[in-house]
Amino acid sequence: MPVQTITLIGAGNLGYHLARTFHSKGFCIQQIYSRAIANAKELAALVNAEPIDDLQTLVHADLLVICVTDSAIQVISDELPVFDSIVVHTSGSTPMEVLHRHSRHGVFYPLQTFSKGFPVDFQNIPLLLESSSFNVQQELMQVANKISNSVFSVDSLQRQKLHLAAVFACNFTNHMMAVASSLLKEANLPFSMLENLILETVQKAIKSGNPESVQTGPAIRGNLGIMQAHSELLKDKLLWQKIYTFVSESIIEMGKGGKAGYETF
Amino acid sequence: MPVQTITLIGAGNLGYHLARTFHSKGFCIQQIYSRAIANAKELAALVNAEPIDDLQTLVHADLLVICVTDSAIQVISDELPVFDSIVVHTSGSTPMEVLHRHSRHGVFYPLQTFSKGFPVDFQNIPLLLESSSFNVQQELMQVANKISNSVFSVDSLQRQKLHLAAVFACNFTNHMMAVASSLLKEANLPFSMLENLILETVQKAIKSGNPESVQTGPAIRGNLGIMQAHSELLKDKLLWQKIYTFVSESIIEMGKGGKAGYETF
């Protein structure tokens, strides 16, 4: 029997976006749980659900979606009453097995970063599924295919590597921009000066299909003079200096294997 | 008297794009120099200029634009015959003073990454100018304003900091994507899975005007368990493990100052 009713455990950014998307695709959102009842109420009101702050007041739903901080998943799973619901978590790095108390369990991992203010369209967001049985997999597939065009089955190790890759490509990329922004502030220059460059860089990397092949900059050119000058500029920021050194080393290392190495900037 | 004739020293990626842009904006490209005459010929044919591979055959031009690898700028400058031309280099990190032999000199630094296959539109590329005199500054401004809507006067230290910022925001960002791509390959997953996530990340950072404020991921959430698991996954890649550690530390450090810290991914 296909999933019709869904309960969300957690009313943070991901819970917010998932609840609204499931609701808009015709699923019935049964309950929204949050430790802070105010958060549960706010979201529940948007999707016509019952807000709760006590897991013992859960009623049956076909699918229970745990979207809380990774470190709380196991605790929540252990506190959940055992129904015959499918219980999934939504974490990139948590093994599926933490849900083993529930005979039908799985992972429903949307590969995207969510912030409350910014709308997202799940259609283009890859959903990565893992399941405790073929039957559960089929039911999760049906739910996933209703909200996304890009659904994959992966095992826990693949998902973990993918999450790690996403940390590099997304979280670390954002931090590189944050460091740049801070350096510009120091020089009394606006971050907006870099916008065009950043967009061009990312579009080129994506278009190429292989970012390694379009690497530019002093490291890939082996320009030690500039790298030393940059390191000197960072002498009061030891952590950034280390990052500069190791990322440059890694660029040089990777460049040895391929034929990266464009000439300018 | 405004600049009318321009000679390019260097026929690499930047030389290629600059020559074509100057030509299209009505400047007369006098000569194209390259150590490899074939490169000079190829570009010269596109912009109706004379190809040369010997600096002693240079004739007068109002503006000489040196666009060669940073480490070769000084050498080229010292070999150039001394005319009354304005001589500029195009490097982000090289001091203007390396051109001091030429009484009228400056820097004409386009803040962008160039690769031959990818077309660029200079209109939106910031051009950073530095000049040996007010008069030179005015003439360079006239040239710059003809090809870009975004022209700035900066001193050498500002330009150097900007270049360093660009290395973080562009070169290092690209490398983060390259590492991600390599990790995905290992897990038999396509890099294209991350495209949407990367674009979203970058658009959010730019839209916010302050990437620090939209930082996501395990580090900003202080999720040590995930960070340890990721570090473990990288145990055979020591350089990437170091990068993971130091970038995570820097994210945590920066987060202490601000109120970054979204909940998911």
Side-chain angles (χ1 to χ4, degrees):
Chain A
M1 210 179 60
V3 169
Q4 291 174 318
T5 55
I6 302 179
T7 284
L8 277 286
I9 314 288
N13 290 316
L14 177 58
Y16 172 87
H17 289 292
L18 273 180
R20 297 196 62 167
T21 302
F22 285 141
H23 182 66
S24 75
K25 297 294 178 183
F27 292 101
C28 166
I29 309 295
Q30 194 101 332
Q31 295 176 307
I32 305 276
Y33 165 85
S34 171
R35 275 180 310 184
I37 191 71
N39 293 349
K41 278 184 180 163
E42 191 187 331
L43 179 52
L46 296 173
V47 295
N48 204 19
E50 181 197 359
I52 58 171
D53 63 355
D54 177 356
L55 290 174
Q56 302 319 312
T57 61
L58 275 179
V59 297
H60 174 272
D62 300 332
L63 175 62
L64 284 182
V65 182
I66 301 176
C67 27
V68 299
T69 310
D70 296 338
S71 55
I73 293 171
Q74 173 92 64
V75 182
I76 293 275
S77 167
D78 291 350
E79 283 181 17
L80 281 182
V82 173
F83 299 118
D84 61 340
S85 313
I86 299 176
V87 178
V88 297
H89 73 62
T90 48
S91 157
S93 280
T94 307
M96 179 174 72
E97 284 65 41
V98 303
L99 305 175
H100 72 275
R101 278 181 71 240
H102 308 277
S103 61
R104 307 172 74 219
H105 61 269
V107 177
F108 194 95
Y109 172 48
L111 183 64
Q112 186 60 286
T113 169
F114 301 94
S115 307
K116 251 177 192 161
F118 296 84
V120 292
D121 178 2
F122 272 92
Q123 285 302 325
N124 301 313
I125 294 178
L127 286 177
L128 303 157
L129 307 182
E130 191 180 353
S131 314
S132 61
S133 72
F134 181 71
N135 171 274
V136 170
Q137 181 77 357
Q138 280 184 309
E139 296 197 27
L140 289 181
M141 274 284 178
Q142 278 185 336
V143 176
N145 284 325
K146 272 206 181 168
I147 67 172
S148 166
N149 294 323
S150 176
V151 180
F152 299 85
S153 292
V154 296
D155 64 28
S156 282
L157 182 63
Q158 276 179 308
R159 183 161 38 80
Q160 214 185 354
K161 284 191 176 171
L162 175 66
H163 186 213
L164 176 59
V167 166
F168 274 92
C170 163
N171 305 151
F172 286 6
T173 285
N174 187 75
H175 188 62
M176 296 301 117
M177 292 187 278
V179 170
S181 169
S182 170
L183 291 168
L184 285 173
K185 224 173 263 169
E186 243 178 58
N188 279 317
L189 294 168
F191 178 60
S192 58
M193 283 180 89
L194 286 177
E195 279 179 14
N196 196 54
L197 182 63
I198 292 169
L199 286 172
E200 177 91 5
T201 299
V202 167
Q203 278 155 6
K204 204 185 283 184
I206 286 176
K207 204 173 161 184
S208 73
N210 181 15
E212 187 186 328
S213 70
V214 293
Q215 184 65 52
T216 58
I220 195 72
R221 292 199 308 273
N223 194 322
L224 293 176
I226 290 195
M227 285 190 270
Q228 270 157 11
H230 282 167
S231 188
E232 178 66 18
L233 274 178
L234 293 170
K235 68 175 186 293
D236 297 327
K237 303 181 176 70
L238 289 185
L239 205 43
W240 294 357
Q241 198 182 44
K242 281 186 200 166
I243 291 170
Y244 189 91
T245 303
F246 292 126
V247 175
S248 295
E249 264 183 44
S250 179
I251 290 172
I252 293 167
E253 194 59 40
M254 198 182 262
K256 283 181 191 160
K259 49 192 203 59
Y262 285 85
E263 201 171 312
T264 37
F265 166 50
Chain B
M1 211 179 60
V3 169
Q4 290 174 318
T5 55
I6 302 180
T7 283
L8 277 286
I9 314 289
N13 290 315
L14 178 58
Y16 172 86
H17 289 291
L18 273 179
R20 297 196 61 167
T21 301
F22 286 140
H23 182 65
S24 76
K25 297 294 178 183
F27 293 100
C28 166
I29 309 294
Q30 194 100 333
Q31 294 175 307
I32 304 276
Y33 165 85
S34 171
R35 275 180 309 184
I37 192 69
N39 293 349
K41 276 185 180 162
E42 191 187 331
L43 179 53
L46 295 174
V47 296
N48 204 18
E50 181 197 0
I52 59 171
D53 63 354
D54 177 356
L55 289 174
Q56 302 318 310
T57 61
L58 273 179
V59 298
H60 174 273
D62 300 331
L63 176 62
L64 285 182
V65 182
I66 301 176
C67 27
V68 298
T69 309
D70 296 340
S71 55
I73 294 171
Q74 174 91 65
V75 181
I76 293 276
S77 167
D78 291 350
E79 282 182 18
L80 280 182
V82 173
F83 300 118
D84 62 340
S85 312
I86 300 176
V87 178
V88 297
H89 73 62
T90 49
S91 157
S93 281
T94 308
M96 180 174 71
E97 285 63 41
V98 302
L99 305 175
H100 73 275
R101 277 180 72 240
H102 309 276
S103 62
R104 309 172 73 218
H105 61 269
V107 177
F108 194 96
Y109 172 48
L111 182 64
Q112 186 59 285
T113 169
F114 301 95
S115 307
K116 250 176 193 164
F118 296 85
V120 292
D121 178 2
F122 272 92
Q123 286 301 326
N124 301 313
I125 294 179
L127 286 178
L128 303 156
L129 307 183
E130 190 179 354
S131 313
S132 60
S133 72
F134 181 71
N135 170 275
V136 170
Q137 181 77 357
Q138 280 185 309
E139 296 196 28
L140 288 182
M141 274 285 179
Q142 277 186 336
V143 175
N145 283 326
K146 271 205 180 168
I147 67 172
S148 166
N149 295 324
S150 176
V151 180
F152 299 84
S153 291
V154 295
D155 64 28
S156 282
L157 183 62
Q158 276 180 309
R159 183 160 39 80
Q160 214 185 354
K161 284 191 176 171
L162 175 65
H163 186 213
L164 176 58
V167 167
F168 274 91
C170 163
N171 304 151
F172 286 6
T173 285
N174 187 75
H175 188 61
M176 296 301 116
M177 293 188 278
V179 170
S181 169
S182 171
L183 291 167
L184 285 174
K185 223 173 265 169
E186 244 179 57
N188 279 316
L189 295 168
F191 178 61
S192 59
M193 283 180 87
L194 286 178
E195 279 179 15
N196 196 54
L197 181 63
I198 291 168
L199 286 172
E200 177 91 5
T201 299
V202 167
Q203 277 156 6
K204 204 184 283 183
I206 285 176
K207 203 173 162 185
S208 74
N210 181 14
E212 188 186 327
S213 70
V214 293
Q215 184 66 51
T216 57
I220 194 72
R221 293 199 307 272
N223 195 321
L224 293 177
I226 290 196
M227 286 190 272
Q228 269 157 12
H230 283 168
S231 187
E232 179 64 18
L233 274 179
L234 294 170
K235 67 176 187 297
D236 296 327
K237 302 182 177 72
L238 289 185
L239 205 43
W240 294 357
Q241 199 181 45
K242 281 186 199 165
I243 291 170
Y244 188 91
T245 303
F246 291 127
V247 175
S248 294
E249 264 184 43
S250 179
I251 289 173
I252 293 168
E253 194 59 40
M254 198 181 261
K256 284 182 191 160
K259 49 194 203 59
Y262 286 87
E263 201 172 311
T264 38
F265 167 47

